[in-house]
Amino acid sequence: MLADKRILLIIAGGIAAYKCLELIRRLRERGASVRVVMTEAAKEFVTPLAVGALSENRVYSDLFDLTSEHEIGHIRLSREADLLVVAPATANLLAKMANGICDDLASNVLLATDKPVLAAPAMNPRMWAHPATRRNVARLAADGIRFVGPNTGTMAERGEIGAGRMSEPMEILAAIEAHFEAAGEGRPLLGRRVVVTAGPTHEPIDPVRYIANRSSGKQGFALARALAEAGATVTLVSGPVGLPDPADVKVIRVETAREMLAAVEGALPADVAVMAAAVADWRVASEASEKIKKGAGGTPHLDFVENPDILATVGRHSTLRPRLVVGFAAETENLVDNARAKLDKKGADFIVANDVSPETGIMGGDRNTVRIVARDGVTDWPDLPKDEVAVKLVALIAERLG
Ligand code: C5P
């Protein structure tokens, strides 16, 4: 799939730059051509000699070098590629990209390009969590920049743990392949309207407390992004999550199951509904208007009422049922039996079932192992990054729509 694809790899100055050597090798193995731009700081971490040897190309880093008549200019460099990959995408480079600052070759190329850009952030967890970086990443996502990672784990700095580790070379490679898979098949969902739910719902107990299911929203967001990349017009109805809006997706943020249902119904008619939200099954029967006080009356007694089932409402809709209705089933036991039961109960065409027992690490993680449960059988997919599960689901949706 990567044969003859032209990748322009931009290496910025971070310790994770060493992983790029492996990434270049893997890209070359698959037949991609690789041109590399290094920032000055990147050269402190890997040598242009090693990068040049592995990429089998000259390495670019000086903006003014390119003005000589023998060289291609930075505009050509930025456009003679099918995909730009920024790895590691440092906090500094992301900040420059978000603000259109161009003071070296790498940032000039990123501003001048008309090609898609995939960024693999890498930085200290505090830098990643800083409101300035959050703002920059959200803005870049809205500008259509795609992201892979970062992962959570121990950092190069001793004792630092958190989100900020650059994705592994094979994960970046998978994201690159996923990009070309979506692009290569054209845009199979062009003109289709899709509504996606994601994240948890929060059901208030009083003004400060709520009950909720665990859900990061990552799979639903990845799916919304992949659907949009496949050409669909996507409405994503999300409960409270800490994820930026995916590019080219209409995002409606809600809190409760009832709000989610109203937003989903508002997004109909649609060709496809994919209900990936972890909706709270129950809500507190009567929400206290003031904060419930500790003490005097002992522990509070809460009465629950059942929430509307959004998937079932859509799957059994008498007039506006989408042609394809996809549900999710997060289970800790009897995965397939439970998912099969849901097919009929909720009027779904297929169910994406996953085992969310804590030891799987799926909940909140970046990978997912799913089984597709349909009336005509069960298909097991391998353990994949959530982004790739999303791309495969889009292909399945396109196939089922015919
Ligand atoms: O019944 P269960 O919650 O396991 O079903 C999971 C599927 O149903 C998911 O697709 C989820 O988004 C959807 N669901 C829903 N509304 C609910 C409960 C679940 O849409 N109230």
Side-chain angles (χ1 to χ4, degrees):
M1 183 199 307
L2 293 182
D4 304 323
K5 290 287 186 288
R6 299 166 305 167
I7 308 293
L8 181 65
L9 175 64
I10 295 172
I11 308 181
I15 185 74
Y18 76 90
K19 293 184 186 173
C20 287
L21 299 177
E22 169 86 6
L23 176 63
I24 295 167
R25 278 197 54 188
R26 300 295 167 216
L27 285 165
R28 294 291 298 133
E29 259 171 27
R30 284 159 181 74
S33 73
V34 183
R35 269 184 182 159
V36 181
V37 172
M38 294 176 76
T39 64
E40 277 309 310
K43 294 189 208 162
E44 303 289 332
F45 295 94
V46 285
T47 69
L49 195 65
V51 170
L54 287 172
S55 66
E56 299 167 76
N57 241 323
R58 74 155 280 197
V59 177
Y60 302 86
S61 69
D62 189 347
L63 181 59
F64 301 104
D65 255 12
L66 297 188
T67 51
S68 83
E69 57 187 302
H70 310 295
E71 298 292 352
I72 62 171
H74 71 272
I75 305 284
R76 251 181 74 195
L77 187 60
S78 74
R79 298 187 187 165
E80 283 182 358
D82 299 305
L83 177 70
L84 273 62
V85 178
V86 189
T90 55
N92 180 49
L93 187 52
L94 289 174
K96 287 205 258 181
M97 289 166 70
N99 291 285
I101 295 171
C102 42
D103 57 0
D104 62 1
L105 180 61
S107 49
N108 268 280
V109 161
L110 284 160
L111 195 64
T113 192
D114 58 355
K115 295 301 184 315
V117 178
L118 174 73
M123 67 197 73
N124 173 277
R126 281 186 189 246
M127 293 167 77
W128 176 248
H130 194 284
T133 307
R134 306 279 85 233
R135 257 194 323 270
N136 291 335
V137 168
R139 186 182 286 183
L140 289 167
D143 289 346
I145 306 291
R146 295 137 224 252
F147 287 91
V148 49
N151 291 339
T152 299
T154 49
M155 308 299 294
E157 296 90 350
R158 204 176 265 252
E160 292 258 14
I161 297 182
R165 273 174 71 100
M166 189 170 88
S167 295
E168 295 306 317
M170 293 310 282
E171 290 173 320
I172 300 175
L173 191 72
I176 294 171
E177 283 178 337
H179 164 78
F180 285 115
E181 192 168 309
E185 289 177 2
R187 294 170 47 93
L189 296 180
L190 203 63
R192 306 285 196 187
R193 284 174 56 120
V194 185
V195 55
V196 179
T197 64
T201 62
H202 284 183
E203 310 296 335
I205 296 169
D206 65 20
V208 299
R209 304 182 180 96
Y210 60 83
I211 60 163
N213 287 18
R214 288 186 202 279
S215 170
S216 66
K218 284 179 183 169
Q219 186 64 78
F221 271 60
L223 199 52
R225 187 168 53 239
L227 286 159
E229 280 173 6
T233 304
V234 183
T235 303
L236 170 63
V237 184
S238 176
V241 294
L243 300 172
D245 290 5
D248 300 325
V249 169
K250 178 178 175 193
V251 183
I252 304 176
R253 308 250 177 191
V254 298
E255 293 267 332
T256 66
R258 283 170 297 168
E259 287 166 9
M260 187 173 273
L261 175 61
V264 166
E265 287 182 319
L268 298 179
D271 300 288
V272 184
V274 187
M275 307 282 95
V279 183
D281 289 314
W282 311 280
R283 66 175 180 276
V284 176
S286 52
E287 178 191 345
S289 57
E290 305 295 338
K291 183 180 172 188
I292 301 169
K293 291 288 178 206
K294 235 186 341 197
T299 52
H301 174 85
L302 299 176
D303 279 320
F304 289 96
V305 289
E306 208 161 306
N307 262 332
D309 191 312
I310 302 163
L311 173 59
T313 307
V314 172
R316 307 217 152 279
H317 208 290
S318 55
T319 51
L320 291 175
R321 185 190 189 276
R323 266 177 59 202
L324 196 64
V325 175
V326 181
F328 275 66
E331 301 286 350
T332 55
E333 55 187 1
N334 302 332
L335 192 63
V336 170
D337 287 347
N338 281 325
R340 267 211 190 95
K342 260 166 224 175
L343 277 178
D344 290 327
K345 205 167 117 214
K346 306 203 182 208
D349 295 289
F350 64 87
I351 298 275
V352 183
N354 56 7
D355 181 345
V356 290
S357 307
E359 62 274 15
T360 63
I362 286 173
M363 203 89 91
D366 291 314
R367 304 183 71 85
N368 206 351
T369 313
V370 304
R371 314 183 76 175
I372 305 297
V373 180
R375 290 192 177 72
D376 54 6
V378 179
T379 317
D380 289 349
W381 287 359
D383 168 57
L384 291 168
K386 287 180 176 170
D387 286 342
E388 273 199 71
V389 171
V391 169
K392 278 174 77 76
L393 276 173
V394 168
L396 183 61
I397 287 168
E399 181 192 313
R400 294 236 167 196
L401 277 179

PDB file of all heavy atoms in Angstrom, residues 275-277 279 281 308-311 327-328 342 346, ligand 1:
ATOM      1  N   MET A 275     -23.398   3.889  17.239  1.00  0.00           N
ATOM      2  CA  MET A 275     -23.598   4.317  18.619  1.00  0.00           C
ATOM      3  C   MET A 275     -22.484   3.735  19.487  1.00  0.00           C
ATOM      4  O   MET A 275     -22.564   2.604  19.945  1.00  0.00           O
ATOM      5  CB  MET A 275     -24.977   3.838  19.112  1.00  0.00           C
ATOM      6  CG  MET A 275     -26.144   4.242  18.204  1.00  0.00           C
ATOM      7  SD  MET A 275     -26.685   5.967  18.371  1.00  0.00           S
ATOM      8  CE  MET A 275     -25.790   6.774  17.068  1.00  0.00           C
ATOM      9  N   ALA A 276     -21.444   4.541  19.670  1.00  0.00           N
ATOM     10  CA  ALA A 276     -20.278   4.065  20.429  1.00  0.00           C
ATOM     11  C   ALA A 276     -20.242   4.631  21.839  1.00  0.00           C
ATOM     12  O   ALA A 276     -19.313   4.361  22.587  1.00  0.00           O
ATOM     13  CB  ALA A 276     -18.996   4.446  19.685  1.00  0.00           C
ATOM     14  N   ALA A 277     -21.238   5.433  22.198  1.00  0.00           N
ATOM     15  CA  ALA A 277     -21.215   6.041  23.535  1.00  0.00           C
ATOM     16  C   ALA A 277     -21.461   4.999  24.616  1.00  0.00           C
ATOM     17  O   ALA A 277     -22.155   4.007  24.401  1.00  0.00           O
ATOM     18  CB  ALA A 277     -22.280   7.136  23.613  1.00  0.00           C
ATOM     19  N   VAL A 279     -23.436   4.984  27.337  1.00  0.00           N
ATOM     20  CA  VAL A 279     -24.537   5.746  27.948  1.00  0.00           C
ATOM     21  C   VAL A 279     -24.850   5.151  29.321  1.00  0.00           C
ATOM     22  O   VAL A 279     -24.903   3.930  29.467  1.00  0.00           O
ATOM     23  CB  VAL A 279     -25.793   5.649  27.045  1.00  0.00           C
ATOM     24  CG1 VAL A 279     -26.925   6.491  27.613  1.00  0.00           C
ATOM     25  CG2 VAL A 279     -25.459   6.056  25.617  1.00  0.00           C
ATOM     26  N   ASP A 281     -26.966   3.665  32.017  1.00  0.00           N
ATOM     27  CA  ASP A 281     -28.250   2.982  31.880  1.00  0.00           C
ATOM     28  C   ASP A 281     -29.331   3.630  32.741  1.00  0.00           C
ATOM     29  O   ASP A 281     -30.508   3.564  32.428  1.00  0.00           O
ATOM     30  CB  ASP A 281     -28.099   1.511  32.267  1.00  0.00           C
ATOM     31  CG  ASP A 281     -27.295   0.758  31.225  1.00  0.00           C
ATOM     32  OD1 ASP A 281     -27.587   0.943  30.027  1.00  0.00           O
ATOM     33  OD2 ASP A 281     -26.367   0.011  31.590  1.00  0.00           O
ATOM     34  N   PRO A 308     -33.366   6.518  28.452  1.00  0.00           N
ATOM     35  CA  PRO A 308     -33.769   6.030  27.128  1.00  0.00           C
ATOM     36  C   PRO A 308     -32.611   5.275  26.497  1.00  0.00           C
ATOM     37  O   PRO A 308     -31.443   5.635  26.709  1.00  0.00           O
ATOM     38  CB  PRO A 308     -34.063   7.314  26.345  1.00  0.00           C
ATOM     39  CG  PRO A 308     -33.339   8.398  27.079  1.00  0.00           C
ATOM     40  CD  PRO A 308     -33.298   7.981  28.520  1.00  0.00           C
ATOM     41  N   ASP A 309     -32.898   4.229  25.752  1.00  0.00           N
ATOM     42  CA  ASP A 309     -31.852   3.515  25.020  1.00  0.00           C
ATOM     43  C   ASP A 309     -31.757   4.157  23.633  1.00  0.00           C
ATOM     44  O   ASP A 309     -32.661   4.030  22.809  1.00  0.00           O
ATOM     45  CB  ASP A 309     -32.192   2.022  24.922  1.00  0.00           C
ATOM     46  CG  ASP A 309     -30.993   1.239  24.398  1.00  0.00           C
ATOM     47  OD1 ASP A 309     -30.401   1.663  23.373  1.00  0.00           O
ATOM     48  OD2 ASP A 309     -30.643   0.213  25.006  1.00  0.00           O
ATOM     49  N   ILE A 310     -30.676   4.866  23.402  1.00  0.00           N
ATOM     50  CA  ILE A 310     -30.547   5.654  22.174  1.00  0.00           C
ATOM     51  C   ILE A 310     -30.408   4.732  20.965  1.00  0.00           C
ATOM     52  O   ILE A 310     -31.072   4.912  19.940  1.00  0.00           O
ATOM     53  CB  ILE A 310     -29.339   6.621  22.293  1.00  0.00           C
ATOM     54  CG1 ILE A 310     -29.547   7.527  23.512  1.00  0.00           C
ATOM     55  CG2 ILE A 310     -29.171   7.441  21.020  1.00  0.00           C
ATOM     56  CD1 ILE A 310     -28.311   8.233  23.991  1.00  0.00           C
ATOM     57  N   LEU A 311     -29.563   3.709  21.133  1.00  0.00           N
ATOM     58  CA  LEU A 311     -29.378   2.758  20.031  1.00  0.00           C
ATOM     59  C   LEU A 311     -30.703   2.096  19.653  1.00  0.00           C
ATOM     60  O   LEU A 311     -31.066   2.024  18.476  1.00  0.00           O
ATOM     61  CB  LEU A 311     -28.334   1.697  20.434  1.00  0.00           C
ATOM     62  CG  LEU A 311     -28.125   0.538  19.477  1.00  0.00           C
ATOM     63  CD1 LEU A 311     -27.683   1.016  18.097  1.00  0.00           C
ATOM     64  CD2 LEU A 311     -27.088  -0.444  20.037  1.00  0.00           C
ATOM     65  N   GLY A 327     -24.067  -0.909  16.639  1.00  0.00           N
ATOM     66  CA  GLY A 327     -23.963  -0.711  18.085  1.00  0.00           C
ATOM     67  C   GLY A 327     -22.630  -1.199  18.598  1.00  0.00           C
ATOM     68  O   GLY A 327     -21.884  -1.893  17.883  1.00  0.00           O
ATOM     69  N   PHE A 328     -22.322  -0.855  19.790  1.00  0.00           N
ATOM     70  CA  PHE A 328     -21.132  -1.356  20.464  1.00  0.00           C
ATOM     71  C   PHE A 328     -21.579  -2.163  21.672  1.00  0.00           C
ATOM     72  O   PHE A 328     -22.669  -1.943  22.189  1.00  0.00           O
ATOM     73  CB  PHE A 328     -20.232  -0.193  20.920  1.00  0.00           C
ATOM     74  CG  PHE A 328     -19.303   0.292  19.841  1.00  0.00           C
ATOM     75  CD1 PHE A 328     -19.792   0.906  18.700  1.00  0.00           C
ATOM     76  CD2 PHE A 328     -17.925   0.112  19.958  1.00  0.00           C
ATOM     77  CE1 PHE A 328     -18.940   1.346  17.699  1.00  0.00           C
ATOM     78  CE2 PHE A 328     -17.063   0.555  18.966  1.00  0.00           C
ATOM     79  CZ  PHE A 328     -17.564   1.163  17.835  1.00  0.00           C
ATOM     80  N   LYS A 342     -28.113  -8.344  21.773  1.00  0.00           N
ATOM     81  CA  LYS A 342     -28.327  -6.911  21.524  1.00  0.00           C
ATOM     82  C   LYS A 342     -28.758  -6.616  20.093  1.00  0.00           C
ATOM     83  O   LYS A 342     -29.464  -5.646  19.831  1.00  0.00           O
ATOM     84  CB  LYS A 342     -27.052  -6.139  21.830  1.00  0.00           C
ATOM     85  CG  LYS A 342     -27.114  -5.504  23.178  1.00  0.00           C
ATOM     86  CD  LYS A 342     -25.803  -5.013  23.673  1.00  0.00           C
ATOM     87  CE  LYS A 342     -25.707  -5.444  25.118  1.00  0.00           C
ATOM     88  NZ  LYS A 342     -24.449  -5.153  25.727  1.00  0.00           N
ATOM     89  N   LYS A 346     -32.002  -4.353  20.083  1.00  0.00           N
ATOM     90  CA  LYS A 346     -31.814  -2.938  19.752  1.00  0.00           C
ATOM     91  C   LYS A 346     -31.985  -2.636  18.262  1.00  0.00           C
ATOM     92  O   LYS A 346     -31.813  -1.501  17.842  1.00  0.00           O
ATOM     93  CB  LYS A 346     -30.432  -2.493  20.199  1.00  0.00           C
ATOM     94  CG  LYS A 346     -30.188  -2.791  21.680  1.00  0.00           C
ATOM     95  CD  LYS A 346     -29.133  -1.923  22.246  1.00  0.00           C
ATOM     96  CE  LYS A 346     -28.887  -2.274  23.699  1.00  0.00           C
ATOM     97  NZ  LYS A 346     -28.412  -1.113  24.446  1.00  0.00           N
TER      98      LYS A 346
HETATM   99  O1  C5P B   1     -27.040  -2.351  26.612  1.00  0.00           O
HETATM  100  P1  C5P B   1     -25.670  -1.860  26.422  1.00  0.00           P
HETATM  101  O2  C5P B   1     -25.412  -0.549  27.141  1.00  0.00           O
HETATM  102  O3  C5P B   1     -24.593  -2.842  26.706  1.00  0.00           O
HETATM  103  O4  C5P B   1     -25.584  -1.574  24.862  1.00  0.00           O
HETATM  104  C1  C5P B   1     -24.496  -0.965  24.281  1.00  0.00           C
HETATM  105  C2  C5P B   1     -24.897  -0.286  23.017  1.00  0.00           C
HETATM  106  O5  C5P B   1     -26.113   0.422  23.181  1.00  0.00           O
HETATM  107  C3  C5P B   1     -23.887   0.751  22.607  1.00  0.00           C
HETATM  108  O6  C5P B   1     -23.917   0.851  21.196  1.00  0.00           O
HETATM  109  C4  C5P B   1     -24.412   1.997  23.284  1.00  0.00           C
HETATM  110  O7  C5P B   1     -23.970   3.163  22.640  1.00  0.00           O
HETATM  111  C5  C5P B   1     -25.897   1.820  23.134  1.00  0.00           C
HETATM  112  N1  C5P B   1     -26.702   2.410  24.206  1.00  0.00           N
HETATM  113  C6  C5P B   1     -27.491   3.511  23.933  1.00  0.00           C
HETATM  114  N2  C5P B   1     -28.304   4.039  24.912  1.00  0.00           N
HETATM  115  C7  C5P B   1     -28.345   3.494  26.121  1.00  0.00           C
HETATM  116  C8  C5P B   1     -27.546   2.372  26.421  1.00  0.00           C
HETATM  117  C9  C5P B   1     -26.749   1.856  25.446  1.00  0.00           C
HETATM  118  O8  C5P B   1     -27.449   4.021  22.804  1.00  0.00           O
HETATM  119  N3  C5P B   1     -29.133   4.027  27.050  1.00  0.00           N
END
